[in-house]
């Protein structure tokens, strides 16, 4: 990358995650989309329409494309390790989708490859990139509310019935609610509580024999500095947590009147043996939407501190304390994916170290794996690879 040139980004995998990063790349003044890669020629042609970019079939051709300095790995989770290592070996910076790998050994190999090549490795998108959660962390860092004592993150969606690839439903391959959606929850909770989870206990649910997969969980986490947290998620398409979030959905739009149960109805209506991958590809093609009118409401996130409570609002954050409820507005013109691209650019250009680096991603993966282990064994699991939030002041006093 020559001085003064834009950071050239190549996207590997053009599902929902890969497509949704493109507007964020376009919006960043220091970045440019240089290439895309996907095995399906028709998908490459559709996404590239009107753009002067390289069209590639695989990681090998993507890292050779002119002007590519960084690769966004948005392929299925079992491929993350190989694709990340290939990009790093070619001297490319990497952002890899969550969860970063299927096990800790793979994650450690990815970190080692990036370290050896001297390139940046980041893990995301996760909800902890969202501006409202980042603003909550800034408020916590000021100390005005005292110490974080308790966090609850509650999400109810229809995730389990949306079109899925087989590996997205297999916990051994990084699938199911705990890996695919718990990864968001744990990332947010760690950001707000300082990062250092000490132990956890989990219960998971696999309740629909027609759709066998982990579709729900409850996870109780304790932090080294005394905070406690719960992560509750159900993807079974009944109650919608938009009812807890002013009627705003996880994309930031008012929830449609017919949204509740829609994915479950569509799943039930799908013909046996029909091509679910085709349905998933069609859904991905419609994933890039106009800017939402509100902040995305990823369920209910409630943070309790000594001096008051924080939660998301459609326009930013609600603060509850002795003076009542007040609203802190947070800029609506930036998305979590805008923050992914900004964090990558800042890290590569030497402006600020990445928060969501490989070791942060490994710590998050450790929680997913530990929650799965705990749900199977019925026992508490202690954690060994956690890292602290590297900037600002984390909570530092035990609960009393």
């Amino acid at each position: 990358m020559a001085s003064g040139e834009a950071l050239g980004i190549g996207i590997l995998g053009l599902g929902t995650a890969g497509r949704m990063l493109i507007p964020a790349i376009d919006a960043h003044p220091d970045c440019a989309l240089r290439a895309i890669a996907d095995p399906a020629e028709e998908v490459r042609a559709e996404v590239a329409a009107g753009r002067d970019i390289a069209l590639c079939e695989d990681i090998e051709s993507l890292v050779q494309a002119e002007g590519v300095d960084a690769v966004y790995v948005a392929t299925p989770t079992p491929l993350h390790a190989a694709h990340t290592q290939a990009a790093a070996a070619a001297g490319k910076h990497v952002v890899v989708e969550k969860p970063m790998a299927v096990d800790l050994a793979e994650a450690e190999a990815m970190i080692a490859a990036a370290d050896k090549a001297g390139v940046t490795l980041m893990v995301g998108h996760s909800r902890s990139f969202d501006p409202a959660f980042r603003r909550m962390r800034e408020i916590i860092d000021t100390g005005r509310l005292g110490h974080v004592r308790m966090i609850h993150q509650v999400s109810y969606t229809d995730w389990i019935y949306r079109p899925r690839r087989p590996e997205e439903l297999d916990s051994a391959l990084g699938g199911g609610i705990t890996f695919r959606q718990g990864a968001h929850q744990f990332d947010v909770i760690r950001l707000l509580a300082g990062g250092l989870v000490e132990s956890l206990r989990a219960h998971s649910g696999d309740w629909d024999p027609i759709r066998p997969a982990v579709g729900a969980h409850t996870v109780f986490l304790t932090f080294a500095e005394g905070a406690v947290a719960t992560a509750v998620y159900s993807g079974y398409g009944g109650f919608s947590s938009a009812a807890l979030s002013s009627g705003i959905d996880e994309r930031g739009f008012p929830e449609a009147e017919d949204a509740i149960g829609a994915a479950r109805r569509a799943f039930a209506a799908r013909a046996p043996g029909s091509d679910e991958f085709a349905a998933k590809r069609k859904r991905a093609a419609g994933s890039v939407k106009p800017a939402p009118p509100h902040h995305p409401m990823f369920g209910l996130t409630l943070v309790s501190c000594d001096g008051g409570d924080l939660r998301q609002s459609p326009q930013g954050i609600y603060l509850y304390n002795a003076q009542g409820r007040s609203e802190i507005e947070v800029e609506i013109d930036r998305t979590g994916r805008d923050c992914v691209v900004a964090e990558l650019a800042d890290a590569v250009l030497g402006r600020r170290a990445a928060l969501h680096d490989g070791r942060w991603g490994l710590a998050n993966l450790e929680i997913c794996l530990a929650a799965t282990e705990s749900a199977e064994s019925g026992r508490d699991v202690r954690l060994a690879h956690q890292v602290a939030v590297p900037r600002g002041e984390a909570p530092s006093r035990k609960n009393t």
Side-chain angles (χ1 to χ4, degrees):
M1 177 180 175
S3 176
E5 290 187 357
L7 175 66
I9 299 176
I11 296 178
L12 180 65
L14 297 173
T16 298
R19 290 168 183 260
M20 289 187 71
L21 197 75
I22 293 174
I25 297 171
D26 291 341
H28 197 287
D30 296 329
C31 298
L33 182 64
R34 300 297 190 202
I36 56 175
D38 192 276
E41 181 179 1
E42 66 274 19
V43 171
R44 298 196 300 269
E46 177 220 330
V47 173
R51 293 176 178 272
D52 182 19
I53 57 176
L55 307 185
C56 308
E57 293 186 21
D58 51 31
I59 182 65
E60 289 77 17
S61 53
L62 183 69
V63 297
Q64 295 299 320
E66 184 177 356
V68 171
D69 305 300
V71 173
Y72 181 58
V73 176
T75 50
T77 303
L79 302 177
H80 285 180
H83 289 162
T84 296
Q85 290 175 82
K92 310 302 179 183
H93 307 284
V94 181
V95 180
V96 60
E97 261 291 325
K98 58 78 195 163
M100 70 181 294
V102 299
D103 59 40
L104 294 181
E106 282 192 349
E108 289 169 338
M110 294 158 71
I111 293 169
D115 288 347
K116 180 179 179 180
V119 297
T120 295
L121 171 60
M122 283 175 48
V123 180
H125 171 256
S126 65
R127 288 293 180 180
S128 65
F129 282 96
D130 288 358
F133 291 129
R134 296 164 75 97
R135 182 73 179 105
M136 282 187 190
R137 181 67 236 180
E138 291 172 2
I139 293 169
I140 291 166
D141 282 343
T142 68
R144 61 187 278 201
L145 296 179
H147 302 283
V148 174
R149 300 302 190 176
M150 183 169 63
I151 299 174
H152 298 298
Q153 209 297 317
V154 179
S155 292
Y156 282 73
T157 73
D158 54 11
W159 188 93
I160 204 72
Y161 295 112
R162 298 172 193 169
R164 297 289 166 208
R165 295 172 64 102
E167 70 273 4
E168 292 182 88
L169 300 172
D170 187 343
S171 294
L173 298 176
I177 285 296
T178 300
F179 286 92
R180 309 297 295 187
Q181 294 297 295
H184 287 299
Q185 293 182 297
F186 307 143
D187 222 36
V188 168
I189 290 169
R190 289 181 56 236
L191 175 73
L192 299 177
L196 295 174
V197 180
E198 191 171 64
S199 65
L200 63 78
R201 181 107 180 215
H203 175 83
S204 64
D206 183 349
W207 301 333
D208 186 346
I210 300 176
R211 190 66 153 174
V214 172
H217 68 210
T218 299
V219 185
F220 180 78
L221 306 103
T222 62
F223 283 78
E225 300 298 338
V228 297
T230 56
V232 176
Y233 200 110
S234 172
Y236 281 109
F239 177 76
S240 168
S241 50
L244 305 174
S245 306
S246 305
I248 307 302
D249 68 17
E250 57 191 316
R251 293 282 185 90
F253 294 93
E255 185 173 68
E257 292 184 5
D258 62 348
I260 295 177
R264 192 166 189 167
R265 292 192 298 273
F267 175 80
R270 198 176 299 140
S274 62
D275 187 353
E276 188 166 352
F277 180 59
K280 180 177 175 64
R281 181 178 289 176
K282 181 178 179 181
R283 187 172 188 268
S287 60
V288 179
K289 299 181 182 298
H294 307 288
H295 286 283
M297 301 296 281
F298 181 60
L300 169 67
T301 302
L302 182 59
V303 184
S304 297
C305 304
D306 294 327
D309 298 327
L310 298 166
R311 64 164 291 187
Q312 285 179 278
S313 77
Q315 303 307 317
I317 300 167
Y318 285 133
L319 167 63
Y320 303 82
N321 59 14
Q323 285 70 52
R325 189 186 82 175
S326 58
E327 188 169 21
I328 301 168
E329 291 193 6
V330 178
E331 70 277 6
I332 197 69
D333 58 343
R334 299 185 79 207
T335 68
R337 287 178 173 83
D338 289 326
C339 294
V340 172
V341 174
E343 188 169 310
L344 172 66
D346 285 348
V348 172
L349 298 175
R351 294 191 286 242
R352 191 172 193 180
L355 166 63
H356 300 83
D357 63 9
R359 288 167 180 80
W360 178 271
L362 183 146
N364 208 47
L365 175 62
E366 182 187 28
I367 297 176
C368 297
L369 292 164
T372 301
E373 177 186 344
S374 177
E376 292 174 351
S377 69
R379 299 189 180 94
D380 290 1
V381 177
R382 296 189 67 83
L383 303 173
H385 298 280
Q386 299 297 291
V387 294
V389 175
R391 53 180 180 266
E393 182 179 326
S396 61
R397 190 171 64 184
K398 293 283 185 181
N399 282 326
T400 57

